[in-house]
Amino acid sequence: MNKLLMFALSFFLFIACKNEHRKEINVITNYNIETLAICFEIAENGFWNFPFDDYQPMKELARNEFEKYKKHQAILLIDSLVSQGFWLDKMTEVMLKTSSVPNAKLIHKLDESTTKKIKDNQDIIERFINAMNAFYLDAKLEAFFEKHRSYFANVNSEVKKNLPPKHFISTMEDYYGKQNESYTLIPSPTIYHTMGFGMRIKANVGFKVFNVFGPVIMTKDSTQFGYGFGNSKEIDELTVHEFGHSFINPITELESNKKLIDKSEHLFSPIKSIMERQGYRSWSTCVAEHIVRLGEIRIALAMNDTIRANRLRSEYIDNRGFIYLKNLETSIIKYENNRDTYNSIDTYLPQLLNSLY
């Protein structure tokens, strides 16, 4: 009897410990990002020229409330940066990697692709951050955010109700054979709908992974719109896709893998036009997108969701031109069946890349 009790106690302690360390998806408001989104909304080269026929109450409110600051140094600097090719995605990375406004300072290393954009103007990042701090104070954003705190809370609540299944993170980490420290969604009701940016910050274990995104619902009907984030399919797939980049991009960017990708660059020509229409303007970016989407399909199968896997496969190959998924999926089965040899996607990636041609 004592042995039975000890076994039962050990079992429940094991389960409790396992559950305690299960990683959950964090959903937060980031006021650095909201400050940037408001500035971008009123900048001439920002959201100002985007169509306004969608129902985004916070975006419209920000535009009307802060239009009078269109000549502020922060807005003029954004207009200048956009004209130089330094767009919202790069600005978002900067604001994510600083301390909090209005005392923001850069506290995390910027991606190499971002620093390359400003190689001839190294002080621009400091000027940009200081301008964001100034705008936060001059526009009295603390009072604005406090006034609308419940709105942002409701946005987060809507996202939380539409997250992927709880075992998604563990399944994804098991599949790729790697872990990240944390996974965080940052919904912004002020960012233009359907826009999203995957970001990562180096951590002791892998990365701190973030996804910053605007509303996922497009409608003029406020009764259907809610806060713009009440679509489980869109939230689910956006999360799976963007978090997938945190596993794939760091290894496709390794020099040895870059060389393998370059060897198959001739494959870009047949799909170049359809890829460019989707914003993928280089072969290396296109390859990373193929592999991330391959992961979406295979992880769906690992979660016993065959319907979703089949739908994604058809959507990506037939409708969006990711034709090399067929070769990649044939190859990845070797990885799945030989995990004692390939303990992570890192070790198998060279073979996967060679299967492209």
Side-chain angles (χ1 to χ4, degrees):
M1 184 66 175
N2 288 337
K3 288 183 179 180
L4 183 61
L5 285 172
M6 288 183 66
F7 172 79
L9 180 60
S10 298
F11 176 77
F12 284 118
L13 284 173
F14 170 77
I15 295 298
C17 182
K18 188 174 182 180
N19 288 338
E20 182 182 351
H21 291 92
R22 174 188 285 168
K23 292 175 188 167
E24 295 186 352
I25 298 173
N26 306 305
V27 181
I28 65 170
T29 298
N30 184 306
Y31 291 115
N32 281 20
I33 301 299
E34 288 305 315
T35 299
L36 170 61
I38 288 172
C39 289
F40 209 79
E41 173 62 30
I42 59 178
E44 287 290 345
N45 290 334
F47 291 145
W48 186 257
N49 292 318
F50 281 57
F52 299 148
D53 61 347
D54 56 303
Y55 187 83
Q56 277 188 252
M58 187 55 68
K59 190 163 75 73
E60 183 179 9
L61 177 63
R63 184 169 65 247
N64 294 335
E65 183 93 3
F66 300 106
E67 181 185 358
K68 58 189 175 185
Y69 292 97
K70 287 185 71 172
K71 299 301 181 182
H72 190 278
Q73 59 171 313
I75 311 306
L76 297 178
L77 183 56
I78 284 175
D79 280 327
S80 174
L81 287 172
V82 171
S83 67
Q84 299 173 50
F86 195 90
W87 201 64
L88 180 61
D89 56 339
K90 302 302 182 186
M91 298 180 198
T92 298
E93 183 199 350
V94 172
M95 295 311 292
L96 186 65
K97 292 182 175 180
T98 67
S99 51
S100 299
V101 285
N103 301 302
K105 292 182 179 180
L106 193 66
I107 56 176
H108 297 288
K109 185 178 179 180
L110 295 175
D111 291 349
E112 184 180 346
S113 61
T114 301
T115 55
K116 280 183 178 179
K117 287 277 188 181
I118 50 142
K119 62 182 178 180
D120 297 326
N121 195 0
Q122 292 297 319
D123 70 332
I124 195 67
I125 295 299
E126 184 175 1
R127 285 176 52 208
F128 173 74
I129 295 170
N130 289 339
M132 290 295 104
N133 286 330
F135 184 87
Y136 183 91
L137 293 172
D138 295 341
K140 298 180 174 56
L141 288 187
E142 181 177 4
F144 178 80
F145 292 143
E146 182 59 36
K147 180 179 179 180
H148 300 288
R149 182 177 295 275
S150 62
Y151 193 99
F152 291 107
N154 287 331
V155 164
N156 293 345
S157 178
E158 203 165 71
V159 172
K160 289 176 183 177
K161 292 176 182 176
N162 292 282
L163 293 176
K166 288 186 178 296
H167 59 291
F168 157 66
I169 294 293
S170 59
T171 303
M172 182 173 62
E173 290 189 339
D174 288 345
Y175 185 82
Y176 287 122
K178 300 193 291 184
Q179 294 188 23
N180 287 310
E181 184 172 303
S182 61
Y183 300 86
T184 303
L185 296 178
I186 304 177
S188 169
T190 320
I191 289 178
Y192 200 73
H193 64 64
T194 74
M195 284 186 178
F197 311 106
M199 306 281 170
R200 59 184 186 268
I201 295 173
K202 187 65 180 168
N204 292 329
V205 178
F207 297 92
K208 294 179 180 179
V209 184
F210 301 87
N211 187 24
V212 179
F213 59 104
V216 296
I217 297 176
M218 294 177 284
T219 177
K220 295 180 182 179
D221 186 346
S222 61
T223 60
Q224 294 179 16
F225 186 87
Y227 293 90
F229 299 87
N231 186 312
S232 59
K233 174 181 172 292
E234 294 294 334
I235 295 290
D236 188 327
E237 294 184 3
L238 175 145
T239 303
V240 174
H241 181 84
E242 294 301 339
F243 286 173
H245 276 291
S246 68
F247 293 93
I248 299 305
N249 285 46
I251 53 174
T252 58
E253 293 165 4
L254 294 175
E255 199 59 40
S256 58
N257 290 327
K258 282 182 180 178
K259 291 178 180 178
L260 291 175
I261 292 171
D262 288 344
K263 285 183 179 179
S264 59
E265 190 164 10
H266 61 281
L267 297 175
F268 191 35
S269 181
I271 60 173
K272 185 176 180 180
S273 61
I274 191 170
M275 288 293 116
E276 288 185 338
R277 286 199 297 271
Q278 298 174 73
Y280 310 128
R281 303 184 182 281
S282 71
W283 176 237
S284 58
T285 300
C286 182
V287 170
E289 285 295 324
H290 267 80
I291 297 172
V292 168
R293 293 169 197 276
L294 170 70
E296 292 179 55
I297 295 167
R298 303 309 296 183
I299 290 169
L301 290 173
M303 297 176 71
N304 299 314
D305 194 343
T306 305
I307 293 175
R308 176 178 174 179
N310 291 338
R311 176 174 54 78
L312 289 173
R313 188 183 295 110
S314 177
E315 169 67 17
Y316 292 154
I317 296 173
D318 301 332
N319 299 335
R320 300 189 61 178
F322 289 90
I323 60 175
Y324 303 116
L325 276 173
K326 296 177 181 178
N327 289 353
L328 292 172
E329 192 163 16
T330 299
S331 175
I332 201 69
I333 293 172
K334 181 179 179 182
Y335 166 73
E336 295 171 359
N337 291 339
N338 294 276
R339 292 300 300 275
D340 53 339
T341 302
Y342 307 106
N343 62 341
S344 75
I345 192 65
D346 299 38
T347 56
Y348 189 73
L349 189 69
Q351 289 196 49
L352 190 62
L353 293 174
N354 283 330
S355 74
L356 282 167
Y357 55 93

